[in-house]
Amino acid sequence: MMNIGRRGVHYLHTLNNVPKNLTEKGQSRVIEASLTLIRERAKLKGELVRALGGAKASSSLLGVPLGHNSSFLQGPAFAPPRIREAIWCGSTNSTTEEGKQLDDPRVLTDVGDVPVQELRDCGIDDDRLMNIISESVKLVMEEDPLRPLVLGGDHSISYPVVRAVSEKLGGPVDVLHLDAHPDIYDCFEGNKYSHASSFARIMEGGYARRLLQVGIRSITSEGREQGKRFGVEQYEMCKFSKDRPFLENLKLGEGVKGVYISIDVDCLDPAFAPGVSHIEPGGLSFRDVLNILHNLQADVVAADVVEFNPQRDTVDGMTAMVAAKLVRELTAKISK
Amino acid sequence: MMNIGRRGVHYLHTLNNVPKNLTEKGQSRVIEASLTLIRERAKLKGELVRALGGAKASSSLLGVPLGHNSSFLQGPAFAPPRIREAIWCGSTNSTTEEGKQLDDPRVLTDVGDVPVQELRDCGIDDDRLMNIISESVKLVMEEDPLRPLVLGGDHSISYPVVRAVSEKLGGPVDVLHLDAHPDIYDCFEGNKYSHASSFARIMEGGYARRLLQVGIRSITSEGREQGKRFGVEQYEMCKFSKDRPFLENLKLGEGVKGVYISIDVDCLDPAFAPGVSHIEPGGLSFRDVLNILHNLQADVVAADVVEFNPQRDTVDGMTAMVAAKLVRELTAKISK
Amino acid sequence: MMNIGRRGVHYLHTLNNVPKNLTEKGQSRVIEASLTLIRERAKLKGELVRALGGAKASSSLLGVPLGHNSSFLQGPAFAPPRIREAIWCGSTNSTTEEGKQLDDPRVLTDVGDVPVQELRDCGIDDDRLMNIISESVKLVMEEDPLRPLVLGGDHSISYPVVRAVSEKLGGPVDVLHLDAHPDIYDCFEGNKYSHASSFARIMEGGYARRLLQVGIRSITSEGREQGKRFGVEQYEMCKFSKDRPFLENLKLGEGVKGVYISIDVDCLDPAFAPGVSHIEPGGLSFRDVLNILHNLQADVVAADVVEFNPQRDTVDGMTAMVAAKLVRELTAKISK
Amino acid sequence: MMNIGRRGVHYLHTLNNVPKNLTEKGQSRVIEASLTLIRERAKLKGELVRALGGAKASSSLLGVPLGHNSSFLQGPAFAPPRIREAIWCGSTNSTTEEGKQLDDPRVLTDVGDVPVQELRDCGIDDDRLMNIISESVKLVMEEDPLRPLVLGGDHSISYPVVRAVSEKLGGPVDVLHLDAHPDIYDCFEGNKYSHASSFARIMEGGYARRLLQVGIRSITSEGREQGKRFGVEQYEMCKFSKDRPFLENLKLGEGVKGVYISIDVDCLDPAFAPGVSHIEPGGLSFRDVLNILHNLQADVVAADVVEFNPQRDTVDGMTAMVAAKLVRELTAKISK
Amino acid sequence: MMNIGRRGVHYLHTLNNVPKNLTEKGQSRVIEASLTLIRERAKLKGELVRALGGAKASSSLLGVPLGHNSSFLQGPAFAPPRIREAIWCGSTNSTTEEGKQLDDPRVLTDVGDVPVQELRDCGIDDDRLMNIISESVKLVMEEDPLRPLVLGGDHSISYPVVRAVSEKLGGPVDVLHLDAHPDIYDCFEGNKYSHASSFARIMEGGYARRLLQVGIRSITSEGREQGKRFGVEQYEMCKFSKDRPFLENLKLGEGVKGVYISIDVDCLDPAFAPGVSHIEPGGLSFRDVLNILHNLQADVVAADVVEFNPQRDTVDGMTAMVAAKLVRELTAKISK
Amino acid sequence: MMNIGRRGVHYLHTLNNVPKNLTEKGQSRVIEASLTLIRERAKLKGELVRALGGAKASSSLLGVPLGHNSSFLQGPAFAPPRIREAIWCGSTNSTTEEGKQLDDPRVLTDVGDVPVQELRDCGIDDDRLMNIISESVKLVMEEDPLRPLVLGGDHSISYPVVRAVSEKLGGPVDVLHLDAHPDIYDCFEGNKYSHASSFARIMEGGYARRLLQVGIRSITSEGREQGKRFGVEQYEMCKFSKDRPFLENLKLGEGVKGVYISIDVDCLDPAFAPGVSHIEPGGLSFRDVLNILHNLQADVVAADVVEFNPQRDTVDGMTAMVAAKLVRELTAKISK
């Protein structure tokens, strides 16, 4: 039984005392219709970008409003609409720091959300839900030159997303993972899909060749052992001043299918991003993150921004703006 | 072009310089897929309730996250998930004041949201959007004994909802409308779908026989004239102590197809419901509203709760709890 | 030495070690220039209203941003611009509950603020400051048909305002005073101009014939004795349900020069007006206040709204809207 | 295993792998020292009041910062110091509405807090903790004329308090219980000391003859059945307008040892008291509560104010002021 | 027609249907009286400083509460009194980091505000308003050794201020401009006085020889082109780690009339200054700004601190304290 | 008479008109009982740790909820329970950055709070209170291997704590003091125990050999002179970039009894720690503080974390988490 956090999202009420057969048929039809809707939106956006022409890679937002695999609070389920609002907010212009125009659909489109809450309300379990997320990512990748830029949701979503990217491209990717935590427990509180276990699942599945974790400052002995077991490169904050020159000059992805970037907003110090579930002081500054991204040499095939929790944000939505700028600069990185 | 408020929802970027034909075909497929998804969810819930048996009328939530027809702020577009969260929040039990069990699907189900933001992002205009909302309401009503309990969204959504209810039932309904404002301008700031004009549209269309407006305390001369023109019964707050005995003993709906209740959260004094776009002191207490609802004699065929703006709520979500309790007590009123 | 509250207004730094003569001459010129500026603004507004014609009495806002005579917090010094912002805020229409158009200058004009902070920063003491406030009120009354509607500031300003009104009209007025406190100490913490003593000064000066105090719920034995001494009619909240019929049918001002209404925002229960320095539960509802005002039979010659403290308001400014609606309905009461 | 709420109080870490004998001896010494400290503070205050002379009954604050028996949030554990701060806050005078001086120790003294958190941190379980609370209440009652006015804490504390009062006085009392909930579950989530079960414990123990519950608006069928079983007089909010004349003229306690008043702050509508764990709209106004208290004819032997949750209060502590005024007016009721 | 932001300042209602002649004469008198009042305050402060003797340059605050030329929110119109409150707030001592005493009038005086809102309410348009601001700055400079330290307001005020400084000194100055944005659009949304265009006006007018822009991280291609066109030295944040040694050792103003420093509070990362209209992550730390200021070699003839928006500040006014410390350290830089 | 700040803690009402003899005897008994309780808790924890075995030094929390010696706000009196809550908060794991397990009692225990508020309410003055604090610290040190880690409270508590540590160890210690202010006034506002004077008392008493002050950025000429007088090593923020290599490689305590670390939370920039009474921009980052701590070579015999003010914290308690992480990393430093 899921433990519902105070400000969390309810697992909408379940379907009992009803012929299992009837329920299952209905669920299958709902799943199919959900995927059809995502396919049609992706298709329309793909047609649009191809008609405009000239883009080799363009990022396309896919929201995954899922918060129930968090071990603490479930607010990230509310994040995608808030990030979109902040992206287009009139307080800033629609240019990235290096000059790309975000309102050009060849740079950025949007295929909307996976209807996570409604699927759960229909009684669909996590095994099926993870598959639907993977399928949705593949539907975006189907529409060349769209590349998925996924808006979480808690960090559990990175597993089905990276899995889909790797499966679709036919091989592992390199993963640059910015986070306060390694999220690599074998299993957390009995939940193999926990947001604290997603990178264990990714590494087990062979979906990533290299995994670089940056910003780490809350790690247990299990976290360090799992890191060793999977050959993860863990860069802890207590040595960041030493590691900085290396991290601000990364070159990744050679010999594999490309690079995936997963940004947990709590990689930032809470001064820069208070709207997260896990306040862990001593993190990166926003400029540190941009320096790492701007100087990274890589073919970024997909990315995610996760764990923004609007229920912990400031009244004026500072962290929404932070998440939005991460999305904007990732867009700049992906599209070409 | 709508003027986007500071905390509003962005009209996601538009589709230009692309063959119109291509766009239109894609949009049609997206609309069709959206309605299919709502139909499947409604069907599953209808099958479930019928399998359980014994319900003559059971309310079914339908979210309409639409905020752009507001003249001031667009936050109501974020309301439906917050109201659902509050309905199932662990801080209260799942019984209505008169003793109905809300976790019994024969009392309350949920068919999810109309994907308003995603439809707009695909370039679908308000004429088509209003039709999609109407169609969605009809899809719920298709599944006897489900009755729609709509979660706004701004008040503009009441027009397509009441229209659908009336068309589906084959005649007008009586409407009990609780609000600080009459929302009956012929047209507001050039927008015929404005949240300030929805009841003009409803009355013009003949979808309501009687329209009772309760809680009114911000009304212009045009508001009063339109009221007279359409034969609206307007009960202003400055006379509420005199009108109270009448309003706490209403009997409605005889000779028509039933009664529709539309509750704008700002009918309440802002002390009781601060999370609204239009702070208008001098309103009803929460108990006043419950007294009116509890004593109303009527066959309530559908209802809505609109204009809750989570971006103006208290940190701990007091108004979300208020909106949720309105939904819960309306559920008690509808289901039987 | 004034005791500066945490969020208060600083008494800007004083002028020492300088020939007294030099300072006094400069201060006199600053006072004169301040009054000239208020006179010119009042004159312009008076000319405007007279040119439009047809008004017998029209209310004119005069801000008095003074907070240092408060015994607790000094935030009311910041109130006038916030009340003006709320009056004209786009979230409500510019009509009073009974239908007057506020954007008609014959109903409402504004002559701006007395530059209280700047006068104090120039070393002008409270004796002279109180006279400047009185003079400013008279400058407004000079411009027939303008009548002063004063925006406080803490409650100490009512003394120089009522004094000016009475002196200008040539006799006492009746005063309707809504407040949680009687503000009638002979002297509070050694300050005869304290916001807790203003009505002692008014009664001593013979500026009021009758003084009705409504909403009282924090009163000491001195408060009751002073009340008796001056023949004040004190209506305490613990008997409000009994007094209500009387208070909702007042007729005042016959045989005197008119009626003055002084509304301390804390007459309202803090549920309705949290943005005050003195949270005193158990007060009037907003509708209670409107019922008293709407049914009052009187020629209202001037009024004030005081003690709104924006530094204690909710994030979205609920109390600013409350203060603004009080101003709007007082405007309706004054202008004709 | 206790389920720790997000903003709750941690059950400080437990004592394992240590000889049980050693631990138990230490715990006994800590318990004894705790009670000695409370006894000495009560004694000093008792001596003081008796030395001043003339008091027949004077109320004495006893804080019980216990929040872990709440089913939802644990913030009430932080309440006692916040209520004390608000009682003595400079924003209001120290007189009750009917004129008693609170700064007279014959009216109000304070014996401090039961060190609940520290006892739990030493591994003391709830059975022993409840006894310590009862003992502490008796230590206050030992010091005639002190009568306990207990500051919660969650509502679970009313059980050991009422038990102590009844045991000390040698017979049952009448209990006036203001609350949104009946708190009369036989057992809630497996916890017989749950804040939702305290009145079941009280009635079972025979500590109360009559139990009147006022303000009820969240009640399940079990709540109503338990009410019948124990002969509880339950006054639900949906009939409050009808019950008001009765409730505003209560006479209690004849033939028993006196009257106990238990006020759960959530008896108030959340508009009046937002700082509670369980937001349940439709409650009493603050004046409603005062009218009931002021008109009650009774010898009030002890009282409590519980369930104020400072972690949900407004920034400026409105609910702390509300709880403080309840304490002040209860003090007026008790002392003589 | 100005587009009023949600929390903005209303353009107080206009003067219509009245003989233009009458209005214009009144407006001229109001303008003249406004300038007279500023002149008298400046004169008094100048006399004071000269009487004390020994100061070669002393900074004098001039508030310009103007927010309507902002493209997004208008809150900066409320900033000057909040900055003054924070400057004198009891939580910090009145010494600068390098040891100057701020309460010495030879270091810091204040001439109060330009009555911007009241001028606008009298119908005075932006052309005249900009001239009044320029005149006010000159009135301060008239009183040797006072030098203007201007408190905005939005950034549009820098144009009339720098213009006045340059005209008064008889030649261009060097400008050090700290900001997230270059504010150098030729014209923004049709407004040549827009806060996004002030530096285009300054450069066109020849009021600045060198313009150094530091902290830039939101810039469009037009911003870069305009920068080139006017020979602006733009230091973007993405290269700040490289530029730091240069920027922390600036020497400016040789061969011109002196140096002007314009600090837009949003040059800081929003972590350090959340109370701004335009949240743009990735900015300077507070210490970065101080390092630049402290090490700057220059004769600073005037300065401004703009774009602090109190309506977006934290509840406890962190950004007000930040703006105040910028003012304090600028004061240290100016006065000698 | 102490001046009570708006959100401060009331000096609970005093004991007058009573035989002095009677009062003094009662106070002595209360003091004795308080110390007995602390002794018993320390003893139990000491026995526990020794029974578990293997620890040479283990840190033990002692709360000192004292806020009345602050010159501005008194909120730090509420800090200890909030810091404990944050230490054990489920949002982070219980491992320090370098890998120690905090839930091992050999690493961290807790002896609860000195009952400061209750002692003051019983009329105990500051001379006796300071002695009680010193005695309490010694009671912890009595129980080898416990070492005190004190939770303030305002900074005045460091004086009695350091005094006790030095007296107990029989000689001076070296003190590493992180703070925005030197707290070394001879006397502040007439209070020798002021939080602004604690280090003057410590140096006068000879309790510290070296005193290093890091993070200083608000210092008067008296602060610098007192620093010289006592041979304090003051490292000001304006030179931090130069001093960093030295400060990140400290070696302290050789030839004395050990090292004491005192962390005033306001050593951090308010961006990182907004919940403090004295907002002083331009401070250390959280990582700067950790770098200093992690690289310090020293035998840390005791420490404190002071001046966290929960009444100024963000809604979600960011600064509580910051204070808690400081406590956690100090625990790692102390225990071995």
Side-chain angles (χ1 to χ4, degrees), chain A residues 6-10 12-13 15-19 22-23 26-27 29-30 33-34 36-37 40-41 43-45 47-48 51-52 78 81-82 84-85 88 105 108-110 112-113 118 121-122 310-311 315-316, chain B residues 6-10 12-13 15-19 22-23 26-27 29-30 33-34 36-37 40-41 43-45 47-48 51-52 78 81-82 84-85 88 105 108-110 112-113 118 121-122 310-311 315-316:
Chain A
R6 188 174 65 84
R7 292 176 166 185
V9 173
H10 184 77
L12 298 161
H13 58 269
L15 312 162
N16 301 316
N17 310 338
V18 169
L22 181 154
T23 308
Q27 290 173 334
R29 293 190 319 258
V30 167
S34 297
T36 300
L37 179 53
E40 291 302 344
R41 290 195 303 241
K43 211 162 146 188
L44 172 56
K45 297 308 172 72
E47 288 169 354
L48 164 69
L52 291 167
F78 296 105
R82 295 300 171 107
R84 284 191 187 91
E85 183 193 25
W88 300 111
L108 180 59
T109 61
D110 192 337
D113 286 358
E118 287 146 323
D121 180 59
C122 289
Q311 295 185 320
V315 166
D316 286 298
Chain B
R6 188 173 66 84
R7 291 177 165 184
V9 173
H10 184 78
L12 297 161
H13 58 269
L15 313 162
N16 300 317
N17 310 336
V18 168
L22 183 153
T23 308
Q27 289 173 335
R29 292 191 320 257
V30 168
S34 298
T36 299
L37 179 53
E40 290 302 345
R41 289 194 304 240
K43 214 163 144 185
L44 172 57
K45 297 307 172 73
E47 288 168 356
L48 164 70
L52 291 167
F78 295 105
R82 295 300 173 108
R84 283 190 188 92
E85 183 193 25
W88 300 111
L108 179 60
T109 61
D110 192 336
D113 287 357
E118 287 147 321
D121 180 59
C122 289
Q311 296 185 319
V315 165
D316 285 298

Side-chain angles (χ1 to χ4, degrees), chain A residues 118 138-139 155 175 213 223 247 266 274 287 295 303 324 333:
Chain A
E118 287 146 323
K138 290 178 183 172
L139 289 172
H155 221 147
V175 175
Q213 299 188 317
L247 294 171
D266 71 19
R287 186 54 56 189
N295 297 314
K333 205 74 203 168

Side-chain angles (χ1 to χ4, degrees), chain B residues 126-292:
Chain B
D126 262 22
D127 283 329
R128 283 181 290 173
L129 192 57
M130 292 291 157
N131 286 335
I132 294 166
I133 296 169
S134 290
E135 282 313 298
S136 302
V137 169
K138 290 177 184 174
L139 289 171
V140 174
M141 296 175 78
E142 202 77 27
E143 296 296 329
D144 188 67
L146 304 193
R147 293 184 175 190
L149 205 174
V150 178
L151 309 177
D154 68 48
H155 221 148
S156 71
I157 68 159
S158 295
Y159 164 51
V161 175
V162 173
R163 181 178 68 183
V165 169
S166 170
E167 287 176 357
K168 186 80 189 168
L169 295 176
V173 290
D174 281 354
V175 176
L176 175 60
H177 170 205
L178 286 82
D179 201 332
H181 319 83
D183 291 354
I184 201 163
Y185 281 99
D186 180 46
C187 181
F188 196 75
E189 294 174 351
N191 180 7
K192 70 176 176 176
Y193 291 125
S194 168
H195 71 154
S197 299
S198 40
F199 288 88
R201 293 298 83 72
I202 287 168
M203 297 312 283
E204 283 167 5
Y207 304 120
R209 180 187 58 174
R210 291 178 68 185
L211 172 59
L212 289 84
Q213 298 188 317
V214 180
I216 304 301
R217 57 198 185 277
S218 180
I219 180 169
T220 60
S221 52
E222 184 185 342
R224 289 199 177 88
E225 282 155 24
Q226 289 275 93
K228 270 182 210 145
R229 181 183 154 209
F230 292 121
V232 180
E233 298 158 66
Q234 293 178 328
Y235 297 92
E236 298 192 25
M237 277 311 295
C238 54
K239 297 191 187 107
F240 182 71
S241 51
K242 195 173 59 62
D243 296 332
R244 183 193 291 270
F246 170 74
L247 294 171
E248 291 188 354
N249 287 288
L250 289 173
K251 183 166 188 173
L252 296 175
E254 288 174 299
V256 288
K257 297 298 179 182
V259 171
Y260 184 92
I261 302 177
S262 178
I263 305 186
D264 184 319
V265 176
D266 71 18
C267 69
L268 292 160
D269 191 278
F272 295 87
V276 294
S277 303
H278 303 269
I279 299 287
E280 192 69 43
L284 297 162
S285 76
F286 193 87
R287 187 55 54 189
D288 291 337
V289 172
L290 285 197
N291 284 344
I292 292 169

Side-chain angles (χ1 to χ4, degrees), chain A residues 269-274 284-287 318, chain E residues 217 237 265-276 279-289 308 313-314 317-326, chain F residues 217 237 268-274 279-286 288 318:
Chain A
D269 191 279
F272 295 87
L284 297 161
S285 76
F286 193 86
R287 186 54 56 189
M318 186 170 109
Chain E
R217 58 197 184 276
M237 277 310 294
V265 176
D266 71 18
C267 68
L268 292 159
D269 191 279
F272 296 86
V276 295
I279 298 287
E280 191 70 43
L284 296 162
S285 76
F286 193 86
R287 187 53 56 189
D288 291 336
V289 172
F308 163 47
D313 205 358
T314 65
M318 185 171 110
T319 316
M321 293 301 286
V322 163
K325 187 156 180 173
L326 291 173
Chain F
R217 57 198 185 276
M237 276 312 293
L268 292 160
D269 191 279
F272 295 87
I279 298 288
E280 192 69 44
L284 297 161
S285 77
F286 193 87
D288 291 337
M318 185 169 109

Side-chain angles (χ1 to χ4, degrees), chain A residues 33 132 162:
Chain A
I132 296 166
V162 173

Side-chain angles (χ1 to χ4, degrees), chain D residues 223-232 234:
Chain D
R224 289 199 177 87
E225 282 155 25
Q226 288 276 93
K228 270 182 210 144
R229 180 182 154 210
F230 293 120
V232 180
Q234 293 178 328

Side-chain angles (χ1 to χ4, degrees), chain D residues 7-8 40 85 113 118, chain F residues 7-8 29 40 85 113 118:
Chain D
R7 292 176 165 184
E40 291 301 344
E85 182 192 26
D113 287 357
E118 288 147 322
Chain F
R7 293 177 164 183
R29 294 191 319 257
E40 291 301 346
E85 183 193 25
D113 285 358
E118 288 147 322

